[in-house]
Amino acid sequence: MSLSLAAAQTITTAALAEARARKAKPLAVIVLDAGGHPVAFAREDGASLFRHDIARAKAMGALGMGDDTRVLAERAKGNAAFFQSVSVVVGGNIAFSPGGVLIREAGTIIGAVGISGDTGECDELCAFAGLKAAGLDPENSK
Amino acid sequence: MSLSLAAAQTITTAALAEARARKAKPLAVIVLDAGGHPVAFAREDGASLFRHDIARAKAMGALGMGDDTRVLAERAKGNAAFFQSVSVVVGGNIAFSPGGVLIREAGTIIGAVGISGDTGECDELCAFAGLKAAGLDPENSK
Amino acid sequence: MSLSLAAAQTITTAALAEARARKAKPLAVIVLDAGGHPVAFAREDGASLFRHDIARAKAMGALGMGDDTRVLAERAKGNAAFFQSVSVVVGGNIAFSPGGVLIREAGTIIGAVGISGDTGECDELCAFAGLKAAGLDPENSK
Amino acid sequence: MSLSLAAAQTITTAALAEARARKAKPLAVIVLDAGGHPVAFAREDGASLFRHDIARAKAMGALGMGDDTRVLAERAKGNAAFFQSVSVVVGGNIAFSPGGVLIREAGTIIGAVGISGDTGECDELCAFAGLKAAGLDPENSK
């Protein structure tokens, strides 16, 4: 089980289609493989310059800690000192906001998607739409 | 004049189509805007892990020095001490091999494409095919 | 007095045996020598990707500050600005959560063990089990 | 197909047994998974301080470029400017000496072993012995 470029592009395209349907701000979407290496990336016209790095930090943070960034953001609120130190330990490869979502196939983590540009909640919904389009719906794959 | 996501995706798709026609090794393709920020990226199945970073370093190196990496690689042969120091000065954002190609529109640099995975020569030909498909042929745009 | 590979492997093996007895989440365990250099490391199947770096930051942080990370985590709560700056000063070589434990022989620090994967409390108990198995019980060696 | 901790420890133990049989200098041995993340590590008593980092750079370099470091070291001789720039691009995660060996299962890369401490040739022979002990002999797995 691994994450193909074709699946990663399906996720990216569907996530951005969801963003346009929601009239979201311009987004950046990245898909990483299970080892945290980039497979596909797209930044919409008008997205600001940090969106790539934040999207990647969301996806990598989810992979690195083994949980979606929605969960990590909640945990960080209750244990700020630890999670701030983790942020430095991993060289900034983590961002505490929803929108970093693990990709599972038959229960195994095969990658992660990270989205940045609108609210964390909107970013995450676009990620879910991307996964669903690729048949990797997080609700069905755990 | 700026580089749209649509144009960057056309470049990426056409470059990878050329790679398959040439039976190239699995490639990574990145498109950066005029500020050196990623717009689109794709890594083919089976491409090794450094291909993203090398492709990006080719594209960024071209933008950073104002010449395609084919030219920079030639210059580096004749002035190793300087170009090695540049490599460190810019934190590794340059790679001395063909495949980093400036994107011009009406003579203005609007971005760069970087490709890594096969020989530098093959990588560069795939980059040219990508630019041509987007109507940004380097031969016609200087 | 120094920390041998044999002792480091005994610590690692016993710590992971304790983890399995406790049904802990998959862990990463690292043992550093008195100079902070790695002697032994093991990451259990299924442990997430940052566990190596966090385990190492716990062990290095304990060595660097001269106290177990349980103590450092408490101090960080009461002096956030200082400990956040330390985190950056030392390039992320510290993590504020239990599980980084100094290794002493006859009162002299000869290394540290760092564990990450479950709660800090569980990680620390596994570290204690490792030290005890190697005859380096922190309770008896101070 | 993935690389288990059990397999990684078998590789490490057998590589060090080969080293002792050969009366090699003290070695460091690391095993990385397919994404370049550490699974197991051991540094023999008396090994000098950079051995961990060099072993890791050999293993990561092999994974990153998709070839054993024996091959990369040969290529680097003929194209110094490019490979020196790659060294900086990837933040030092590559070392041009034999002893970084890809681990394949049924033709798929599942990780890499890196060894440092004696000559590159000796380091590589110890890596081969490790892979053979784990039933992952590079000769049989391509």
Side-chain angles (χ1 to χ4, degrees), chain D residues 25-40:
Chain D
K25 292 183 184 174
L27 302 186
V29 181
I30 197 164
V31 180
L32 305 181
D33 67 17
H37 301 280
V39 181

Side-chain angles (χ1 to χ4, degrees), chain C residues 6 12 19 34 42 44 50 54 60 100 137:
Chain C
T12 304
E44 292 190 296
F50 288 166
I54 296 174
M60 191 65 211
D137 190 342

Side-chain angles (χ1 to χ4, degrees), chain A residues 34-35 60-61 63-66 81-82 84-85 88-90 93, chain C residues 48-51 53-54 57 76 84 87-88 92 94-97:
Chain A
M60 191 63 212
L63 280 171
M65 298 301 288
F82 174 63
Q84 286 172 19
S85 66
V88 184
V89 167
V90 301
N93 277 313
Chain C
S48 60
L49 301 183
F50 288 166
R51 297 304 163 188
D53 290 352
I54 296 174
Q84 285 172 27
S87 181
V88 182
I94 194 164
F96 299 111
S97 170

Side-chain angles (χ1 to χ4, degrees), chain A residues 62-96:
Chain A
L63 280 171
M65 298 301 288
D67 267 312
D68 290 356
T69 53
R70 164 176 295 282
V71 177
L72 301 177
E74 279 303 311
R75 284 192 199 154
K77 287 180 188 168
N79 195 356
F82 174 63
F83 281 97
Q84 286 172 19
S85 66
V86 167
S87 182
V88 184
V89 167
V90 301
N93 277 313
I94 193 166
F96 300 108

Side-chain angles (χ1 to χ4, degrees), chain D residues 20 24-28 44-48 51 116-118:
Chain D
R20 287 314 104 230
K25 292 183 184 174
L27 302 186
E44 292 189 296
D45 302 346
S48 57
R51 296 303 163 189
S116 177
D118 203 292

Side-chain angles (χ1 to χ4, degrees), chain C:
Chain C
M1 285 177 297
S2 67
L3 187 67
S4 67
L5 173 58
Q9 289 178 327
T10 298
I11 293 169
T12 304
T13 301
L16 292 180
E18 179 75 13
R20 286 316 103 229
R22 290 181 174 279
K23 301 186 191 306
K25 292 184 184 173
L27 302 186
V29 181
I30 197 164
V31 180
L32 305 180
D33 67 18
H37 300 280
V39 180
F41 174 73
R43 179 163 58 98
E44 292 190 296
D45 301 345
S48 60
L49 301 183
F50 288 166
R51 297 304 163 188
H52 170 276
D53 290 352
I54 296 174
R56 187 169 175 176
K58 287 185 182 179
M60 191 65 211
L63 281 171
M65 298 300 287
D67 265 312
D68 291 356
T69 53
R70 164 176 295 282
V71 177
L72 301 177
E74 277 305 311
R75 285 191 198 154
K77 286 180 189 168
N79 196 355
F82 172 63
F83 281 95
Q84 285 172 27
S85 67
V86 168
S87 181
V88 182
V89 166
V90 301
N93 278 311
I94 194 164
F96 299 111
S97 170
V101 179
L102 292 170
I103 307 174
R104 289 186 174 88
E105 192 173 20
T108 299
I109 294 171
I110 60 168
V113 56
I115 299 186
S116 176
D118 204 291
T119 63
E121 285 68 27
C122 177
D123 296 344
E124 188 185 47
L125 289 172
C126 294
F128 289 160
L131 293 182
K132 193 172 179 181
L136 298 162
D137 190 342
E139 293 307 310
N140 299 329
S141 66
K142 286 185 184 179

